[in-house]
Amino acid sequence: MSFRWQTKKPRRLGYVHGAVVFVLALCHPITSFAQETPGSAFHTVQKGDTLSEIAVRYALSVDQLRRINNLRTDLILEGQRLRLGTDFPPERYTVRTGDTLSEIAERFDVSVRSLRRLNGISGERIYSGQVLKLRQYSEHPEGAEIHVVKRGDTLWSMAHHYGLSVAEIQELNDLRGDTILPEMKLRIRRTVEDGTEVQQQFEYIVKSGDSLSQISQQFDVGLALLRQLNHLRDDRIYPDQRLQLRPSSVDEGIHVVRPEETLSSIALKYHVELSDLMELNGIGGSTIHVGQKLRLRAATTATHIVERGDALWEIARAYRVTVADLERLNDLTSERIYPGQELRLPAGDLEAVADYIVKEGDYLGRIARMHQMSVAELEAMNNLHSAVIYPGDKLKVRPLLQFGREGAETIWTSLTSSLGEIKEFRTGNGPYYQQRPKASLQQNTGYYEGPHGSPLQNYRQARKLWSTFERRVNRVGCLSNTLRGWHIVLDPGHGGLDPGAVVETLDGNGNKVYVVEDEYMYDIALRVYLLLRLHGAKVTLTLLSPNHLVRQSNPPTKTFVNEKNEVFNSHRFSRQNRWRNWPAGGRNGNLSCRVDIARKAFKGIRKTRRIFLSFHADIDPTAPEAPLVLYYERTDGRRQDAVSGRFAKSLLRSLGAGAYARGQSLAVLRDNPAYAKVVLEVRNLAYTDHAWALRFEELRHRDAEKIVRGILSYARRRT
Ligand SMILES: [Zn+2]
């Protein structure tokens, strides 16, 4: 009954094209796992080469070359392979005298054939000064497919077939009406598998004998939501009636402004009146900002409109009600909720507002966003007549995202305060220990700081910092014993020489700031580490940093700097001073070290209690703005890790509305000794809002909590 969409393995290296290029990927997060990725560029030293000559040739400084290759002196040897200082495969190369096509192909890890094709060359002839295209970055959204309309096709039959809504197909193809003609080419976006397979289905045709409540059970959609979506006054349905089973993008309650959007394009997209949109969000003129959060529907204090990422447990906690209450009030069949779904809140002594004390550097837009409000709502709730607020001011806010309502936070604060004997640097993007980066923020996509010393020196420093931290963790006690007997390996994605994605985003004042995937994922992994420990789990990290633990980024414009100093949490892998002993990604990467560390950690642990989690942030503009859980599936889709697939799906409810799971062939999950193993794309950095959110420790903590909640409920079901 369900249609399972076979996705082609998408090409994951992408740029967002347009007048405003707002996302730049240094290296796509997933590419470091996938085999087809072009690796980093190398230069093999030729007789007579000097370091300064090589530096000039590749537009690097000698210092950069030295750092990335851990060279103490300028001495290089013939045949030595030098990394070219960037993990980003260049797109073009200017031919130098003496270059040959095959040499260039080898150097940049591409084939001669593709070089010829890309540059319209038939033989070997190239000339000095010629600019060669090295690789083709797709101009088309990844995963987009074309459907050629056949006689008899209708928009509805296509929607049904591809698991989309009619509105989504119309939107993808700029169609105004329902008319489609044979031979017309329509764009169809790949869909994703979320929850259970039946939920793929977007619409359902009522058969005789069906009841609304049975349909709601079958598709894991609350009865109230089914009524809302289909404008039903009561539960009467009739055969052949078409029922919408879950909200489409048009039904969402919130929109975060993306580059090149205008108020009227947004109004059109969601089928709302421009004047309503302006009024709802207190907008007088036509000016909107990228990243601004707009409310698409009015929310009363008696309802909560589910936003992407909201989890039921979190909403319950925010309003101080129980999950069971919410389920009952909204006729939910499970904890699964959807973006745009309206949840009724219990009337009466409900705590629908909370107090918020304005902090240094706060502005209304940020506070509004943090609490899922529009600026207009925030102004109205607080009778504000101007946007000027002062640190210490008390504001009323919606209670969501109240950091620190649970015991864990006090423990958290005490843990990350001074570590005693280890030298500490308090900085806006720290704290750092033993040494700190020179910069206080990531300055551009290319900036990085090389490691001080060899892998072994950094490993020793990292172990010292880690064991001091661990000793403290051992002393804080615990919240539960749910995870006793479980061993969980946390793998912070990237690290070492490989920063993952580095994306540009905007701070609240419209200034550019940059987010480095590996630095932020390390922070989230550490938060997960502590929470898991507090529930009794044994936890091992695959990588360690020599100079930081959890970081506070205050104000969040002090972004984390790309430091290439993380080491494998293993003496064996760190003892030699070779570049390949630093964690690295891409084709020449050493992901198998992470798997080896897991194998060692799992020794003596019951098979079914071994979990492996790798932390990443996606950067895919065609994927939804939501967390993604990936489990192993062979490229041809014919074999998949069913245990991990079930584990992945079980995490979705805790990860919140819009979260989804799918299989992919990922190296770090292959031959991995864990019982349940997944790669978590905690956020999708192709969306301004997600890149924005990562910079706030409150929101990173929220991400960590969701993951741990998911693991806890998985463990509870198994014991
Ligand atoms: Zn990644």
Side-chain angles (χ1 to χ4, degrees):
M1 92 175 328
S2 71
F3 178 80
R4 187 132 183 272
W5 182 239
Q6 293 291 333
T7 59
K8 284 217 182 90
K9 200 166 184 191
R11 264 189 62 84
R12 311 286 300 214
L13 262 172
Y15 269 121
V16 177
H17 287 262
V20 185
V21 177
F22 81 109
V23 171
L24 281 169
L26 255 189
C27 145
H28 184 273
I30 283 300
T31 50
S32 38
F33 295 121
Q35 294 301 310
E36 81 273 69
T37 321
S40 315
F42 288 91
H43 174 84
T44 307
V45 177
Q46 309 293 310
K47 201 177 192 139
D49 275 356
T50 66
L51 207 57
S52 60
E53 205 180 84
I54 297 168
V56 170
R57 185 155 177 190
Y58 295 99
L60 295 164
S61 72
V62 171
D63 193 46
Q64 279 175 315
L65 262 183
R66 265 202 230 109
R67 260 190 303 168
I68 191 71
N69 292 287
N70 285 316
L71 302 173
R72 298 246 167 107
T73 67
D74 288 357
L75 182 70
I76 46 172
L77 301 169
E78 191 182 333
Q80 186 175 355
R81 248 156 90 84
L82 293 178
R83 282 174 69 90
L84 295 178
T86 161
D87 293 315
F88 176 62
E91 202 174 350
R92 286 165 212 281
Y93 173 75
T94 310
V95 178
R96 298 261 171 161
T97 319
D99 280 347
T100 68
L101 212 52
S102 57
E103 220 178 69
I104 294 168
E106 201 204 317
R107 196 182 305 149
F108 293 102
D109 212 3
V110 294
S111 72
V112 171
R113 214 176 56 173
S114 85
L115 273 185
R116 284 208 189 101
R117 186 174 46 80
L118 279 171
N119 297 284
I121 302 168
S122 49
E124 296 292 325
R125 255 184 70 108
I126 47 172
Y127 53 90
S128 170
Q130 184 177 3
V131 178
L132 290 181
K133 212 169 181 177
L134 298 173
R135 26 182 74 85
Q136 177 82 57
Y137 290 110
S138 169
E139 304 266 340
H140 303 286
E142 299 146 21
E145 304 270 329
I146 299 297
H147 176 97
V148 182
V149 177
K150 294 185 299 291
R151 195 165 287 283
D153 279 351
T154 63
L155 271 186
W156 189 82
S157 71
M158 286 173 53
H160 184 74
H161 184 74
Y162 291 107
L164 295 165
S165 70
V166 168
E168 279 171 316
I169 297 182
Q170 286 172 324
E171 187 192 316
L172 273 169
N173 295 282
D174 290 326
L175 294 176
R176 290 280 149 95
D178 296 339
T179 318
I180 50 171
L181 299 167
E183 302 306 316
M184 220 168 139
K185 287 183 178 142
L186 293 180
R187 284 180 54 203
I188 301 297
R189 193 179 52 217
R190 68 193 156 89
T191 61
V192 294
E193 185 178 334
D194 61 354
T196 54
E197 287 183 19
V198 282
Q199 283 169 29
Q200 275 296 97
Q201 207 166 320
F202 193 87
E203 273 164 312
Y204 177 77
I205 305 179
V206 178
K207 294 192 294 286
S208 77
D210 282 347
S211 76
L212 200 65
S213 71
Q214 160 241 318
I215 294 169
S216 120
Q217 290 284 344
Q218 189 180 338
F219 295 99
D220 203 4
V221 188
L223 254 182
L225 179 59
L226 260 188
R227 288 189 210 108
Q228 178 199 322
L229 289 173
N230 297 285
H231 312 286
L232 303 175
R233 294 245 173 87
D234 51 39
D235 290 359
R236 265 180 305 182
I237 48 173
Y238 52 89
D240 293 331
Q241 184 176 359
R242 278 171 191 166
L243 291 180
Q244 188 179 329
L245 294 175
R246 54 190 164 91
S248 70
S249 55
V250 178
D251 302 310
E252 297 205 16
I254 296 288
H255 177 77
V256 182
V257 179
R258 308 193 66 178
E260 292 175 55
E261 282 183 332
T262 62
L263 265 179
S264 42
S265 77
I266 296 165
L268 203 64
K269 181 174 177 187
Y270 293 101
H271 309 171
V272 292
E273 292 293 328
L274 181 59
S275 54
D276 289 348
L277 191 62
M278 291 171 75
E279 199 190 313
L280 260 171
N281 295 286
I283 298 169
S286 60
T287 317
I288 47 170
H289 313 281
V290 173
Q292 187 176 348
K293 195 174 243 177
L294 298 177
R295 203 170 263 293
L296 304 168
R297 260 180 286 154
T300 65
T301 46
T303 54
H304 177 86
I305 300 181
V306 176
E307 200 172 308
R308 289 193 165 269
D310 283 354
L312 197 66
W313 63 265
E314 201 179 22
I315 297 168
R317 184 178 72 181
Y319 296 103
R320 301 208 173 178
V321 296
T322 65
V323 166
D325 281 343
L326 286 179
E327 285 182 343
R328 194 171 31 77
L329 255 171
N330 295 282
D331 294 322
L332 299 179
T333 42
S334 76
E335 282 194 39
R336 197 164 173 79
I337 50 174
Y338 301 85
Q341 180 169 2
E342 285 181 22
L343 290 179
R344 277 174 58 196
L345 301 169
D349 53 348
L350 171 76
E351 203 178 318
V353 289
D355 290 328
Y356 178 83
I357 310 289
V358 176
K359 288 188 290 207
E360 197 79 51
D362 267 349
Y363 51 92
L364 282 184
R366 172 193 162 173
I367 300 169
R369 216 155 149 184
M370 206 73 114
H371 297 93
Q372 306 204 348
M373 303 171 76
S374 68
V375 172
E377 278 174 307
L378 189 64
E379 285 172 341
M381 197 182 261
N382 292 283
N383 284 319
L384 295 177
H385 300 294
S386 86
V388 185
I389 46 172
Y390 300 96
D393 282 0
K394 200 195 257 183
L395 293 179
K396 287 194 177 67
V397 292
R398 282 168 83 82
L400 219 75
L401 295 190
Q402 287 295 294
F403 185 51
R405 282 210 165 167
E406 290 197 337
E409 200 223 346
T410 3
I411 301 170
W412 193 254
T413 314
S414 81
L415 270 173
T416 51
S417 61
S418 166
L419 284 183
E421 68 264 43
I422 294 186
K423 189 172 179 199
E424 184 182 313
F425 302 90
R426 286 271 149 187
T427 62
N429 57 359
Y432 286 94
Y433 304 92
Q434 300 172 123
Q435 79 239 349
R436 53 175 288 184
K438 292 185 209 76
S440 62
L441 75 169
Q442 179 70 17
Q443 299 159 1
N444 50 56
T445 50
Y447 184 82
Y448 66 86
E449 298 198 4
H452 303 258
S454 66
L456 186 60
Q457 281 168 297
N458 280 271
Y459 171 75
R460 286 192 176 130
Q461 272 193 31
R463 283 306 314 183
K464 184 179 168 202
L465 180 61
W466 188 253
S467 51
T468 312
F469 176 62
E470 242 182 348
R471 272 202 301 279
R472 287 190 152 234
V473 177
N474 292 340
R475 286 202 302 260
V476 291
C478 71
L479 294 171
S480 84
N481 282 322
T482 311
L483 297 173
R484 179 146 295 168
W486 292 75
H487 197 123
I488 299 161
V489 172
L490 305 178
D491 174 46
H494 312 279
L497 301 181
D498 171 21
V502 183
V503 298
E504 181 185 306
T505 185
L506 298 170
D507 71 6
N509 301 316
N511 301 319
K512 286 177 188 167
V513 284
Y514 299 85
V515 168
V516 182
E517 181 189 358
D518 102 81
E519 299 289 337
Y520 285 88
M521 289 306 123
Y522 190 79
D523 181 84
I524 291 179
L526 271 189
R527 291 171 191 272
V528 170
Y529 168 84
L530 178 70
L531 294 170
L532 290 173
R533 288 287 316 272
L534 291 176
H535 289 283
K538 276 191 171 172
V539 191
T540 303
L541 261 76
T542 57
L543 299 188
L544 293 180
S545 158
N547 68 340
H548 58 75
L549 297 163
V550 155
R551 282 176 282 180
Q552 275 125 24
S553 46
N554 190 25
T557 39
K558 299 271 184 254
T559 49
F560 300 161
V561 178
N562 175 10
E563 284 189 285
K564 303 200 178 219
N565 61 0
E566 293 90 1
V567 284
F568 286 119
N569 185 8
S570 151
H571 178 261
R572 185 160 72 94
F573 295 135
S574 308
R575 68 189 169 203
Q576 279 168 307
N577 185 18
R578 295 182 308 187
W579 71 263
R580 50 174 306 150
N581 287 92
W582 295 101
R587 185 177 283 177
N588 302 295
N590 43 15
L591 290 167
S592 62
C593 294
R594 299 169 191 251
V595 178
D596 279 346
I597 291 167
R599 185 168 290 122
K600 209 173 146 208
F602 288 136
K603 274 216 174 97
I605 302 296
R606 213 157 94 195
K607 187 181 155 222
T608 54
R609 301 211 163 171
R610 305 169 174 183
I611 295 178
F612 180 94
L613 301 173
S614 188
F615 293 82
H616 290 262
D618 205 352
I619 174 162
D620 181 353
T622 67
E625 184 179 0
L628 162 62
V629 192
L630 294 161
Y631 51 90
Y632 179 76
E633 183 177 279
R634 218 168 65 178
T635 312
D636 60 12
R638 289 169 72 179
R639 190 181 296 159
Q640 56 164 256
D641 173 357
V643 168
S644 300
R646 280 195 295 276
F647 172 66
K649 286 167 196 168
S650 82
L651 295 181
L652 297 180
R653 287 173 184 169
S654 305
L655 291 178
Y660 63 109
R662 65 177 166 81
Q664 191 169 325
S665 174
L666 298 169
V668 82
L669 300 179
R670 242 176 271 140
D671 305 317
N672 188 310
Y675 182 67
K677 50 215 170 214
V678 294
V679 167
L680 287 163
E681 303 278 4
V682 181
R683 290 195 175 260
N684 188 346
L685 296 177
Y687 291 86
T688 322
D689 198 37
H690 276 203
W692 180 89
L694 266 189
R695 296 186 294 121
F696 295 86
E697 90 166 304
E698 295 92 327
L699 298 176
R700 293 197 300 277
H701 197 81
R702 181 189 183 204
D703 290 340
E705 249 192 303
K706 287 180 171 169
I707 295 163
V708 173
R709 287 261 176 173
I711 295 169
L712 284 170
S713 59
Y714 175 79
R716 278 193 205 108
R717 278 194 297 272
R718 297 192 63 86
T719 41

